[in-house]
Amino acid sequence: MSERKVLNKYYPPDFDPSKIPKLKLPKDRQYVVRLMAPFNMRCKTCGEYIYKGKKFNARKETVQNEAYLGLPIFRFYIKCTRCLAEITFKTDPENTDYSMEHGATRNFQAEKLLEEEEKRVQKEREDEELNNPMKVLENRTKDSKLEMEVLENLQELKDLNQRQAHVDFEAVLRQHRLSEEERQKQEQEEDERETAALVEEARKRRLLEDSDSEEDAPAPAPPRLALRPKPTAILDEVMGGVPPTRAVGLRLGRLALASHPGPVQSRKEAVPAPWTPGTSSLSQLGAYSDSEDSSGSN
């Protein structure tokens, strides 16, 4: 029984590998690869920002007639995520970086620009020294002067460190602690004074408010003396509002009628007239006496 996974293949004795046709592919063939944006960029068409690390399905090709020390340079094609404009960038093996080619601008290149500027200045200096011997002497003088300044600064730092080596740090810390305690005590006293001033101000304000409320309030009415009742008020209540003099006259008239009975008609006529507030008690009594005399003559 044969194996399921064959590791060795059979080659006939007349096998000639040169007769196998080779697949001819174009040199500028493009491959679809998955990559991430190597730097921050901004699309020139719509202004969309594309940040470093964003993934794209890119097309990759080999740049023709460009190489660095035998290393091929590759070009990548991506599309903007907003307007689908094509953006291209290439590898830069000389600087171990990528270089923007078309469709966008690279952002945050301050460090790279600084390095390029330093390289340019260094190259210009070398070119000047190569053609001008006096320039070489001048540059050496400047370098030696700068070196002397650096050494002087370094010596000053050493002297400062030596002076500080004899400093009693415990005493310094103790002094700092005492000053800190004094500062805290002073702050506490200031807080107490402010609190007392606020309390005093609140008390004064309360007294002023109380005095204002007393001035605005109406004066209390003086106590009213109780009215003393009339001596005859209780008699008025007993007699039903009839004056006492008239009550006496009525009672005398009733006694006279009881002692001299007469006809019904005279008895009716003998009924006294109703009392009017304008008549006096003596006139009423005279009227009763007249009525009795008339009844007796009858």
Side-chain angles (χ1 to χ4, degrees):
M1 187 175 180
S2 62
E3 296 181 1
R4 184 173 65 86
K5 291 184 177 181
V6 179
L7 301 178
N8 298 323
K9 295 183 179 180
Y10 172 73
Y11 294 96
D14 57 349
F15 175 72
D16 186 4
S18 62
K19 294 181 180 180
I20 298 175
K22 294 182 179 180
L23 183 62
K24 294 181 180 181
L25 298 176
K27 294 183 179 181
D28 56 349
R29 181 186 175 187
Q30 294 183 351
Y31 301 89
V32 177
V33 295
R34 183 77 171 174
L35 58 79
M36 291 186 293
F39 46 78
N40 298 320
M41 64 185 79
R42 184 181 182 185
C43 179
K44 290 182 179 180
T45 305
C46 63
E48 178 72 9
Y49 286 95
I50 300 173
Y51 298 97
K52 181 180 179 180
K54 189 172 182 61
K55 295 183 178 180
F56 292 93
N57 292 325
R59 292 181 289 115
K60 169 190 170 184
E61 70 177 10
T62 304
V63 180
Q64 299 298 322
N65 303 325
E66 288 188 23
Y68 175 75
L69 301 178
L71 299 176
I73 296 176
F74 300 102
R75 181 184 288 113
F76 299 94
Y77 298 87
I78 62 175
K79 290 185 178 181
C80 176
T81 56
R82 184 177 179 183
C83 63
L84 301 179
E86 191 174 64
I87 301 172
T88 61
F89 55 89
K90 298 187 301 183
T91 58
D92 187 7
E94 182 179 0
N95 301 316
T96 62
D97 198 3
Y98 291 83
S99 60
M100 176 56 63
E101 188 177 23
H102 174 72
T105 56
R106 184 171 178 174
N107 299 334
F108 308 112
Q109 300 187 75
E111 184 177 1
K112 184 179 179 182
L113 294 175
L114 181 61
E115 293 176 356
E116 291 179 355
E117 184 66 20
E118 290 178 354
K119 289 181 180 179
R120 186 183 61 81
V121 172
Q122 184 67 21
K123 188 176 180 180
E124 289 179 357
R125 179 176 179 179
E126 292 177 356
D127 294 340
E128 289 179 356
E129 292 179 354
L130 183 62
N131 300 326
N132 190 357
M134 294 300 294
K135 194 69 175 179
V136 177
L137 182 59
E138 185 180 352
N139 292 336
R140 287 180 182 177
T141 305
K142 288 181 180 179
D143 293 341
S144 61
K145 185 178 180 181
L146 180 61
E147 187 177 356
M148 290 292 290
E149 292 178 357
V150 171
L151 290 175
E152 290 177 1
N153 294 334
L154 182 59
Q155 187 64 30
E156 289 180 1
L157 292 175
K158 288 182 180 180
D159 296 340
L160 181 61
N161 291 334
Q162 290 178 0
R163 287 196 300 270
Q164 290 181 353
H166 301 289
V167 176
D168 188 3
F169 292 101
E170 294 295 334
V172 173
L173 293 175
R174 195 180 304 109
Q175 184 67 22
H176 177 70
R177 194 179 302 110
L178 292 175
S179 62
E180 187 70 20
E181 291 178 357
E182 292 179 358
R183 186 180 61 83
Q184 292 180 359
K185 186 177 180 180
Q186 185 178 2
E187 290 180 356
Q188 186 175 2
E189 292 177 357
E190 291 179 357
D191 294 341
E192 291 178 356
R193 285 197 297 269
E194 291 179 358
T195 304
L198 291 175
V199 171
E200 184 66 19
E201 185 179 356
R203 188 178 66 82
K204 290 180 179 179
R205 190 184 301 110
R206 193 180 303 110
L207 292 175
L208 290 174
E209 291 178 356
D210 294 343
S211 62
D212 294 341
S213 60
E214 290 177 359
E215 291 177 359
D216 296 340
R224 299 179 64 182
L225 298 176
L227 298 176
R228 299 179 63 181
K230 295 179 180 180
T232 58
I234 188 170
L235 295 176
D236 293 340
E237 293 178 0
V238 173
M239 300 305 296
V242 179
T245 53
R246 185 184 178 190
V248 173
L250 289 174
R251 185 162 298 182
L252 293 174
R254 289 173 184 172
L255 291 175
L257 291 174
S259 59
H260 301 280
V264 177
Q265 183 67 26
S266 63
R267 220 177 265 177
K268 289 181 180 180
E269 292 177 356
V271 176
W275 177 81
T276 56
T279 59
S280 63
S281 58
L282 296 177
S283 60
Q284 292 290 335
L285 184 60
Y288 280 114
S289 59
D290 296 337
S291 61
E292 288 178 359
D293 293 340
S294 61
S295 61
S297 60
N298 290 333

